[in-house]
Amino acid sequence: MLKQKKKELATLQKSTDEKSVAVLQDKAWKKAISMAKGEKQKDNPDLIVKSIKRKEQKTKKSAKEWNKRIGGQKKLQKEKQKKRQANIEKRIQGKTKKK
């Protein structure tokens, strides 16, 4: 997306017809007006790339923690099943000893 905007801007700057000049002036005016209003400018490519990387790292960390949680749940479930099975066998052996 960022590369596409750069390409578009470069083609507009290279051409000298009135349409491209008007588009560039319109963009410049819109940017100036939004800056005057105090709105944040999101046109710095370095900051955009940084925020994208930060978001990707956050999602990777979240996925890793979720997988860890799922693994812990499965381990806990297996331990409970094993304990339950042992208790059932113990009860069965107790009943057979009484007879």
Side-chain angles (χ1 to χ4, degrees):
M1 188 170 87
L2 197 60
K3 291 178 183 178
Q4 188 178 17
K5 284 187 178 182
K6 281 185 179 181
K7 274 186 178 180
E8 181 183 329
L9 189 63
T11 55
L12 285 174
Q13 287 176 344
K14 285 181 183 177
S15 62
T16 56
D17 62 333
E18 291 180 22
K19 261 189 177 179
S20 62
V21 172
V23 170
L24 286 174
Q25 282 183 342
D26 188 42
K27 284 187 179 188
W29 275 106
K30 283 183 181 180
K31 183 177 178 181
I33 291 171
S34 67
M35 285 177 72
K37 287 181 181 178
E39 295 175 359
K40 286 189 176 184
Q41 296 298 312
K42 298 177 182 172
D43 59 351
N44 188 347
D46 295 332
L47 292 178
I48 293 172
V49 170
K50 226 179 198 182
S51 66
I52 290 171
K53 284 184 181 179
R54 190 178 322 117
K55 189 175 181 179
E56 288 174 355
Q57 286 176 348
K58 187 177 179 182
T59 55
K60 283 181 184 178
K61 183 180 177 186
S62 176
K64 187 176 181 181
E65 288 176 355
W66 184 255
N67 289 336
K68 184 178 177 184
R69 182 179 182 275
I70 289 174
Q73 291 290 326
K74 286 183 180 179
K75 183 179 177 186
L76 188 65
Q77 184 181 13
K78 284 181 182 179
E79 287 176 3
K80 285 184 178 183
Q81 287 286 352
K82 190 175 181 181
K83 185 177 179 181
R84 182 176 182 270
Q85 193 64 32
N87 287 339
I88 290 172
E89 287 177 15
K90 186 177 175 184
R91 187 198 284 155
I92 290 171
Q93 287 177 359
K95 284 183 179 179
T96 56
K97 283 184 181 179
K98 285 182 181 179
K99 290 184 180 181

